Amino acid sequence: ATLVAPGAQRKVYQTTFPSNLLLKLPAEGERFRRHRPLKTLLRQELPISRYRYLLCEIDHDIKVQIRSQISGIMSPIAPTRGTVQTRDGLGLLVQRIGPRDGGIGPSLDEFVKSNLLDDDALEKLNAFADSVFSLKIVAADINPRNIVWGEADGDLRPFIIDGFGDRNVIKLRTWVRWLRHRSIHLGMEKTARAVGLQWSRSQRRFFRSPQVVIQSADVAIPSVVAKPLCGFSPRANHADPSRAP
């Protein structure tokens, strides 16, 4: 496997075979143990706590896939593909999002910097945002680096790649819609500011800032090899079940 995203808490590798998967592994070195001694002690006594993120992402993915099946709205998060034993512990396999010929797709901020966010892409970004609300996604860290563009079913779409699922013991964001929506709105607003867009809470949509004008263009999608990943594929025309309590 090839390391594509070193991180303070997790490392992400691209598997050699099959090449369409990524592997997430916990990365807790000396710096983590020095600054978080209580967590280190807890994980020594309760080893399963080290894999809380893994359990959380698998559980949330399954629940979102069930809602997706019922509603007909494609899930905006990458499907998990099970677990695998490694020398560094239990790893989570997730779908690689990017060009068909390999590599990882550009994050939203890179996508915008490459002048690829034309009107069609903006509509796909808004369909993505709508599906996050409609399928009751819990995502505490929505930002431009966690939204990646890649091909699915021959179409270019944005995917949320990391930070999904409710990791709290008392899962208030899962149970309380207002808290879940508040967290999503904050993430969307942060994302909009970072890439020069505006976010409307009332309409749940991204809009261009007045000074930003991008013409539609048929431009090849760059391949990036240093980011983690997950997946998305919404449908443009559907009902909005998120309006129901």
Side-chain angles (χ1 to χ4, degrees), residues 129-158:
D130 183 64
S131 67
V132 171
F133 284 97
S134 299
L135 294 176
K136 302 179 180 179
I137 304 297
V138 177
D141 189 27
I142 296 176
N143 64 72
R145 306 295 292 178
N146 278 347
I147 300 174
V148 167
W149 290 76
E151 293 184 24
D153 301 325
D155 192 17
L156 176 67
R157 297 167 180 161

PDB file of all heavy atoms in Angstrom, residues 129-158:
ATOM      1  N   ALA A 129     -25.151  19.049  -1.040  1.00  0.00           N
ATOM      2  CA  ALA A 129     -25.545  19.662   0.225  1.00  0.00           C
ATOM      3  C   ALA A 129     -26.953  19.238   0.616  1.00  0.00           C
ATOM      4  O   ALA A 129     -27.225  18.932   1.792  1.00  0.00           O
ATOM      5  CB  ALA A 129     -25.451  21.188   0.123  1.00  0.00           C
ATOM      6  N   ASP A 130     -27.856  19.191  -0.358  1.00  0.00           N
ATOM      7  CA  ASP A 130     -29.229  18.790  -0.074  1.00  0.00           C
ATOM      8  C   ASP A 130     -29.301  17.363   0.444  1.00  0.00           C
ATOM      9  O   ASP A 130     -30.058  17.044   1.364  1.00  0.00           O
ATOM     10  CB  ASP A 130     -30.072  18.936  -1.338  1.00  0.00           C
ATOM     11  CG  ASP A 130     -31.536  18.607  -1.095  1.00  0.00           C
ATOM     12  OD1 ASP A 130     -32.196  19.329  -0.320  1.00  0.00           O
ATOM     13  OD2 ASP A 130     -32.029  17.614  -1.670  1.00  0.00           O
ATOM     14  N   SER A 131     -28.483  16.483  -0.134  1.00  0.00           N
ATOM     15  CA  SER A 131     -28.502  15.084   0.305  1.00  0.00           C
ATOM     16  C   SER A 131     -27.953  14.929   1.716  1.00  0.00           C
ATOM     17  O   SER A 131     -28.353  14.025   2.453  1.00  0.00           O
ATOM     18  CB  SER A 131     -27.714  14.211  -0.674  1.00  0.00           C
ATOM     19  OG  SER A 131     -26.329  14.518  -0.633  1.00  0.00           O
ATOM     20  N   VAL A 132     -27.028  15.800   2.115  1.00  0.00           N
ATOM     21  CA  VAL A 132     -26.502  15.753   3.482  1.00  0.00           C
ATOM     22  C   VAL A 132     -27.628  15.997   4.485  1.00  0.00           C
ATOM     23  O   VAL A 132     -27.744  15.313   5.505  1.00  0.00           O
ATOM     24  CB  VAL A 132     -25.370  16.779   3.665  1.00  0.00           C
ATOM     25  CG1 VAL A 132     -24.966  16.890   5.124  1.00  0.00           C
ATOM     26  CG2 VAL A 132     -24.161  16.389   2.824  1.00  0.00           C
ATOM     27  N   PHE A 133     -28.489  16.966   4.183  1.00  0.00           N
ATOM     28  CA  PHE A 133     -29.641  17.228   5.052  1.00  0.00           C
ATOM     29  C   PHE A 133     -30.686  16.115   4.929  1.00  0.00           C
ATOM     30  O   PHE A 133     -31.194  15.617   5.931  1.00  0.00           O
ATOM     31  CB  PHE A 133     -30.284  18.572   4.687  1.00  0.00           C
ATOM     32  CG  PHE A 133     -29.520  19.765   5.165  1.00  0.00           C
ATOM     33  CD1 PHE A 133     -28.652  20.430   4.317  1.00  0.00           C
ATOM     34  CD2 PHE A 133     -29.666  20.242   6.463  1.00  0.00           C
ATOM     35  CE1 PHE A 133     -27.940  21.540   4.746  1.00  0.00           C
ATOM     36  CE2 PHE A 133     -28.959  21.347   6.903  1.00  0.00           C
ATOM     37  CZ  PHE A 133     -28.094  22.007   6.047  1.00  0.00           C
ATOM     38  N   SER A 134     -30.999  15.723   3.719  1.00  0.00           N
ATOM     39  CA  SER A 134     -32.091  14.785   3.480  1.00  0.00           C
ATOM     40  C   SER A 134     -31.837  13.414   4.090  1.00  0.00           C
ATOM     41  O   SER A 134     -32.770  12.765   4.574  1.00  0.00           O
ATOM     42  CB  SER A 134     -32.333  14.630   1.968  1.00  0.00           C
ATOM     43  OG  SER A 134     -32.695  15.861   1.389  1.00  0.00           O
ATOM     44  N   LEU A 135     -30.598  12.963   4.072  1.00  0.00           N
ATOM     45  CA  LEU A 135     -30.264  11.632   4.576  1.00  0.00           C
ATOM     46  C   LEU A 135     -29.770  11.649   6.020  1.00  0.00           C
ATOM     47  O   LEU A 135     -29.245  10.653   6.512  1.00  0.00           O
ATOM     48  CB  LEU A 135     -29.218  10.974   3.663  1.00  0.00           C
ATOM     49  CG  LEU A 135     -29.719  10.665   2.250  1.00  0.00           C
ATOM     50  CD1 LEU A 135     -28.592  10.100   1.395  1.00  0.00           C
ATOM     51  CD2 LEU A 135     -30.893   9.709   2.283  1.00  0.00           C
ATOM     52  N   LYS A 136     -29.946  12.802   6.689  1.00  0.00           N
ATOM     53  CA  LYS A 136     -29.624  12.926   8.119  1.00  0.00           C
ATOM     54  C   LYS A 136     -28.158  12.604   8.406  1.00  0.00           C
ATOM     55  O   LYS A 136     -27.827  11.897   9.367  1.00  0.00           O
ATOM     56  CB  LYS A 136     -30.535  12.040   8.959  1.00  0.00           C
ATOM     57  CG  LYS A 136     -32.020  12.327   8.777  1.00  0.00           C
ATOM     58  CD  LYS A 136     -32.889  11.401   9.625  1.00  0.00           C
ATOM     59  CE  LYS A 136     -34.358  11.698   9.417  1.00  0.00           C
ATOM     60  NZ  LYS A 136     -35.224  10.794  10.224  1.00  0.00           N
ATOM     61  N   ILE A 137     -27.282  13.135   7.563  1.00  0.00           N
ATOM     62  CA  ILE A 137     -25.858  12.918   7.763  1.00  0.00           C
ATOM     63  C   ILE A 137     -25.387  13.674   9.004  1.00  0.00           C
ATOM     64  O   ILE A 137     -25.732  14.839   9.201  1.00  0.00           O
ATOM     65  CB  ILE A 137     -25.048  13.408   6.546  1.00  0.00           C
ATOM     66  CG1 ILE A 137     -25.544  12.733   5.267  1.00  0.00           C
ATOM     67  CG2 ILE A 137     -23.560  13.173   6.749  1.00  0.00           C
ATOM     68  CD1 ILE A 137     -25.372  11.240   5.247  1.00  0.00           C
ATOM     69  N   VAL A 138     -24.619  13.009   9.839  1.00  0.00           N
ATOM     70  CA  VAL A 138     -23.946  13.660  10.959  1.00  0.00           C
ATOM     71  C   VAL A 138     -22.500  13.882  10.536  1.00  0.00           C
ATOM     72  O   VAL A 138     -21.764  12.923  10.296  1.00  0.00           O
ATOM     73  CB  VAL A 138     -24.004  12.811  12.239  1.00  0.00           C
ATOM     74  CG1 VAL A 138     -23.238  13.491  13.364  1.00  0.00           C
ATOM     75  CG2 VAL A 138     -25.447  12.575  12.656  1.00  0.00           C
ATOM     76  N   ALA A 139     -22.120  15.147  10.408  1.00  0.00           N
ATOM     77  CA  ALA A 139     -20.765  15.478   9.943  1.00  0.00           C
ATOM     78  C   ALA A 139     -20.288  16.707  10.699  1.00  0.00           C
ATOM     79  O   ALA A 139     -20.748  17.817  10.444  1.00  0.00           O
ATOM     80  CB  ALA A 139     -20.753  15.725   8.446  1.00  0.00           C
ATOM     81  N   ALA A 140     -19.385  16.493  11.634  1.00  0.00           N
ATOM     82  CA  ALA A 140     -18.939  17.574  12.506  1.00  0.00           C
ATOM     83  C   ALA A 140     -17.790  18.378  11.919  1.00  0.00           C
ATOM     84  O   ALA A 140     -17.421  19.407  12.478  1.00  0.00           O
ATOM     85  CB  ALA A 140     -18.527  17.010  13.864  1.00  0.00           C
ATOM     86  N   ASP A 141     -17.221  17.919  10.800  1.00  0.00           N
ATOM     87  CA  ASP A 141     -16.038  18.592  10.264  1.00  0.00           C
ATOM     88  C   ASP A 141     -16.161  18.784   8.753  1.00  0.00           C
ATOM     89  O   ASP A 141     -15.276  18.386   7.997  1.00  0.00           O
ATOM     90  CB  ASP A 141     -14.783  17.796  10.614  1.00  0.00           C
ATOM     91  CG  ASP A 141     -13.499  18.562  10.282  1.00  0.00           C
ATOM     92  OD1 ASP A 141     -13.541  19.807  10.278  1.00  0.00           O
ATOM     93  OD2 ASP A 141     -12.478  17.912  10.021  1.00  0.00           O
ATOM     94  N   ILE A 142     -17.250  19.396   8.315  1.00  0.00           N
ATOM     95  CA  ILE A 142     -17.392  19.702   6.893  1.00  0.00           C
ATOM     96  C   ILE A 142     -16.490  20.880   6.557  1.00  0.00           C
ATOM     97  O   ILE A 142     -16.571  21.938   7.179  1.00  0.00           O
ATOM     98  CB  ILE A 142     -18.852  20.038   6.545  1.00  0.00           C
ATOM     99  CG1 ILE A 142     -19.751  18.819   6.771  1.00  0.00           C
ATOM    100  CG2 ILE A 142     -18.971  20.514   5.097  1.00  0.00           C
ATOM    101  CD1 ILE A 142     -21.220  19.093   6.554  1.00  0.00           C
ATOM    102  N   ASN A 143     -15.621  20.701   5.591  1.00  0.00           N
ATOM    103  CA  ASN A 143     -14.727  21.767   5.151  1.00  0.00           C
ATOM    104  C   ASN A 143     -14.279  21.461   3.726  1.00  0.00           C
ATOM    105  O   ASN A 143     -14.504  20.354   3.217  1.00  0.00           O
ATOM    106  CB  ASN A 143     -13.532  21.907   6.102  1.00  0.00           C
ATOM    107  CG  ASN A 143     -12.654  20.682   6.117  1.00  0.00           C
ATOM    108  OD1 ASN A 143     -11.941  20.405   5.159  1.00  0.00           O
ATOM    109  ND2 ASN A 143     -12.684  19.922   7.215  1.00  0.00           N
ATOM    110  N   PRO A 144     -13.651  22.424   3.039  1.00  0.00           N
ATOM    111  CA  PRO A 144     -13.295  22.208   1.632  1.00  0.00           C
ATOM    112  C   PRO A 144     -12.325  21.060   1.394  1.00  0.00           C
ATOM    113  O   PRO A 144     -12.280  20.506   0.291  1.00  0.00           O
ATOM    114  CB  PRO A 144     -12.660  23.546   1.212  1.00  0.00           C
ATOM    115  CG  PRO A 144     -13.149  24.536   2.195  1.00  0.00           C
ATOM    116  CD  PRO A 144     -13.338  23.797   3.467  1.00  0.00           C
ATOM    117  N   ARG A 145     -11.545  20.676   2.403  1.00  0.00           N
ATOM    118  CA  ARG A 145     -10.603  19.567   2.231  1.00  0.00           C
ATOM    119  C   ARG A 145     -11.281  18.216   2.366  1.00  0.00           C
ATOM    120  O   ARG A 145     -10.746  17.207   1.907  1.00  0.00           O
ATOM    121  CB  ARG A 145      -9.472  19.677   3.276  1.00  0.00           C
ATOM    122  CG  ARG A 145      -8.752  21.015   3.282  1.00  0.00           C
ATOM    123  CD  ARG A 145      -8.011  21.272   1.993  1.00  0.00           C
ATOM    124  NE  ARG A 145      -6.885  20.368   1.805  1.00  0.00           N
ATOM    125  CZ  ARG A 145      -6.101  20.360   0.734  1.00  0.00           C
ATOM    126  NH1 ARG A 145      -6.337  21.206  -0.258  1.00  0.00           N
ATOM    127  NH2 ARG A 145      -5.099  19.530   0.650  1.00  0.00           N
ATOM    128  N   ASN A 146     -12.454  18.196   3.009  1.00  0.00           N
ATOM    129  CA  ASN A 146     -13.183  16.939   3.201  1.00  0.00           C
ATOM    130  C   ASN A 146     -14.234  16.705   2.129  1.00  0.00           C
ATOM    131  O   ASN A 146     -14.976  15.726   2.193  1.00  0.00           O
ATOM    132  CB  ASN A 146     -13.847  16.911   4.583  1.00  0.00           C
ATOM    133  CG  ASN A 146     -12.883  16.491   5.663  1.00  0.00           C
ATOM    134  OD1 ASN A 146     -11.798  15.991   5.379  1.00  0.00           O
ATOM    135  ND2 ASN A 146     -13.260  16.686   6.913  1.00  0.00           N
ATOM    136  N   ILE A 147     -14.325  17.605   1.164  1.00  0.00           N
ATOM    137  CA  ILE A 147     -15.218  17.421   0.021  1.00  0.00           C
ATOM    138  C   ILE A 147     -14.339  17.218  -1.206  1.00  0.00           C
ATOM    139  O   ILE A 147     -13.563  18.095  -1.584  1.00  0.00           O
ATOM    140  CB  ILE A 147     -16.148  18.627  -0.169  1.00  0.00           C
ATOM    141  CG1 ILE A 147     -17.016  18.835   1.077  1.00  0.00           C
ATOM    142  CG2 ILE A 147     -17.028  18.437  -1.403  1.00  0.00           C
ATOM    143  CD1 ILE A 147     -17.867  20.094   1.033  1.00  0.00           C
ATOM    144  N   VAL A 148     -14.448  16.053  -1.827  1.00  0.00           N
ATOM    145  CA  VAL A 148     -13.578  15.670  -2.938  1.00  0.00           C
ATOM    146  C   VAL A 148     -14.431  15.365  -4.163  1.00  0.00           C
ATOM    147  O   VAL A 148     -15.514  14.782  -4.058  1.00  0.00           O
ATOM    148  CB  VAL A 148     -12.716  14.447  -2.554  1.00  0.00           C
ATOM    149  CG1 VAL A 148     -12.054  13.832  -3.777  1.00  0.00           C
ATOM    150  CG2 VAL A 148     -11.661  14.843  -1.533  1.00  0.00           C
ATOM    151  N   TRP A 149     -13.918  15.753  -5.326  1.00  0.00           N
ATOM    152  CA  TRP A 149     -14.619  15.496  -6.581  1.00  0.00           C
ATOM    153  C   TRP A 149     -14.041  14.270  -7.261  1.00  0.00           C
ATOM    154  O   TRP A 149     -12.824  14.105  -7.358  1.00  0.00           O
ATOM    155  CB  TRP A 149     -14.490  16.703  -7.517  1.00  0.00           C
ATOM    156  CG  TRP A 149     -15.268  17.888  -7.029  1.00  0.00           C
ATOM    157  CD1 TRP A 149     -14.922  18.720  -6.008  1.00  0.00           C
ATOM    158  CD2 TRP A 149     -16.519  18.352  -7.512  1.00  0.00           C
ATOM    159  NE1 TRP A 149     -15.887  19.682  -5.834  1.00  0.00           N
ATOM    160  CE2 TRP A 149     -16.879  19.486  -6.743  1.00  0.00           C
ATOM    161  CE3 TRP A 149     -17.377  17.946  -8.536  1.00  0.00           C
ATOM    162  CZ2 TRP A 149     -18.049  20.196  -6.959  1.00  0.00           C
ATOM    163  CZ3 TRP A 149     -18.544  18.653  -8.758  1.00  0.00           C
ATOM    164  CH2 TRP A 149     -18.873  19.759  -7.974  1.00  0.00           C
ATOM    165  N   GLY A 150     -14.927  13.413  -7.738  1.00  0.00           N
ATOM    166  CA  GLY A 150     -14.497  12.221  -8.445  1.00  0.00           C
ATOM    167  C   GLY A 150     -15.602  11.697  -9.336  1.00  0.00           C
ATOM    168  O   GLY A 150     -16.727  12.201  -9.323  1.00  0.00           O
ATOM    169  N   GLU A 151     -15.300  10.671 -10.098  1.00  0.00           N
ATOM    170  CA  GLU A 151     -16.260  10.095 -11.031  1.00  0.00           C
ATOM    171  C   GLU A 151     -17.006   8.938 -10.393  1.00  0.00           C
ATOM    172  O   GLU A 151     -16.415   8.088  -9.733  1.00  0.00           O
ATOM    173  CB  GLU A 151     -15.545   9.615 -12.301  1.00  0.00           C
ATOM    174  CG  GLU A 151     -14.952  10.742 -13.130  1.00  0.00           C
ATOM    175  CD  GLU A 151     -14.334  10.248 -14.417  1.00  0.00           C
ATOM    176  OE1 GLU A 151     -14.742   9.170 -14.897  1.00  0.00           O
ATOM    177  OE2 GLU A 151     -13.438  10.927 -14.943  1.00  0.00           O
ATOM    178  N   ALA A 152     -18.332   8.925 -10.615  1.00  0.00           N
ATOM    179  CA  ALA A 152     -19.176   7.816 -10.183  1.00  0.00           C
ATOM    180  C   ALA A 152     -20.242   7.609 -11.247  1.00  0.00           C
ATOM    181  O   ALA A 152     -20.951   8.542 -11.613  1.00  0.00           O
ATOM    182  CB  ALA A 152     -19.821   8.116  -8.837  1.00  0.00           C
ATOM    183  N   ASP A 153     -20.331   6.394 -11.748  1.00  0.00           N
ATOM    184  CA  ASP A 153     -21.300   6.076 -12.810  1.00  0.00           C
ATOM    185  C   ASP A 153     -21.123   6.989 -14.018  1.00  0.00           C
ATOM    186  O   ASP A 153     -22.099   7.409 -14.652  1.00  0.00           O
ATOM    187  CB  ASP A 153     -22.728   6.177 -12.279  1.00  0.00           C
ATOM    188  CG  ASP A 153     -22.979   5.234 -11.102  1.00  0.00           C
ATOM    189  OD1 ASP A 153     -22.409   4.122 -11.115  1.00  0.00           O
ATOM    190  OD2 ASP A 153     -23.714   5.612 -10.183  1.00  0.00           O
ATOM    191  N   GLY A 154     -19.879   7.344 -14.314  1.00  0.00           N
ATOM    192  CA  GLY A 154     -19.596   8.172 -15.466  1.00  0.00           C
ATOM    193  C   GLY A 154     -19.862   9.651 -15.268  1.00  0.00           C
ATOM    194  O   GLY A 154     -19.765  10.436 -16.215  1.00  0.00           O
ATOM    195  N   ASP A 155     -20.184  10.064 -14.060  1.00  0.00           N
ATOM    196  CA  ASP A 155     -20.503  11.466 -13.792  1.00  0.00           C
ATOM    197  C   ASP A 155     -19.555  12.010 -12.732  1.00  0.00           C
ATOM    198  O   ASP A 155     -19.140  11.297 -11.823  1.00  0.00           O
ATOM    199  CB  ASP A 155     -21.953  11.580 -13.310  1.00  0.00           C
ATOM    200  CG  ASP A 155     -22.449  13.011 -13.301  1.00  0.00           C
ATOM    201  OD1 ASP A 155     -21.818  13.860 -13.962  1.00  0.00           O
ATOM    202  OD2 ASP A 155     -23.468  13.270 -12.632  1.00  0.00           O
ATOM    203  N   LEU A 156     -19.232  13.292 -12.849  1.00  0.00           N
ATOM    204  CA  LEU A 156     -18.365  13.957 -11.881  1.00  0.00           C
ATOM    205  C   LEU A 156     -19.212  14.529 -10.761  1.00  0.00           C
ATOM    206  O   LEU A 156     -20.145  15.311 -11.005  1.00  0.00           O
ATOM    207  CB  LEU A 156     -17.588  15.078 -12.561  1.00  0.00           C
ATOM    208  CG  LEU A 156     -16.696  15.929 -11.649  1.00  0.00           C
ATOM    209  CD1 LEU A 156     -15.548  15.088 -11.109  1.00  0.00           C
ATOM    210  CD2 LEU A 156     -16.174  17.136 -12.415  1.00  0.00           C
ATOM    211  N   ARG A 157     -18.918  14.154  -9.496  1.00  0.00           N
ATOM    212  CA  ARG A 157     -19.724  14.573  -8.366  1.00  0.00           C
ATOM    213  C   ARG A 157     -18.840  14.832  -7.145  1.00  0.00           C
ATOM    214  O   ARG A 157     -17.743  14.293  -7.049  1.00  0.00           O
ATOM    215  CB  ARG A 157     -20.734  13.487  -8.001  1.00  0.00           C
ATOM    216  CG  ARG A 157     -21.737  13.186  -9.096  1.00  0.00           C
ATOM    217  CD  ARG A 157     -22.491  11.915  -8.794  1.00  0.00           C
ATOM    218  NE  ARG A 157     -23.460  11.613  -9.836  1.00  0.00           N
ATOM    219  CZ  ARG A 157     -23.987  10.415 -10.017  1.00  0.00           C
ATOM    220  NH1 ARG A 157     -23.614   9.410  -9.252  1.00  0.00           N
ATOM    221  NH2 ARG A 157     -24.875  10.221 -10.967  1.00  0.00           N
ATOM    222  N   PRO A 158     -19.341  15.612  -6.187  1.00  0.00           N
ATOM    223  CA  PRO A 158     -18.598  15.790  -4.926  1.00  0.00           C
ATOM    224  C   PRO A 158     -18.976  14.721  -3.906  1.00  0.00           C
ATOM    225  O   PRO A 158     -20.097  14.240  -3.882  1.00  0.00           O
ATOM    226  CB  PRO A 158     -19.045  17.187  -4.454  1.00  0.00           C
ATOM    227  CG  PRO A 158     -20.388  17.383  -5.052  1.00  0.00           C
ATOM    228  CD  PRO A 158     -20.451  16.557  -6.311  1.00  0.00           C
TER     229      PRO A 158
END
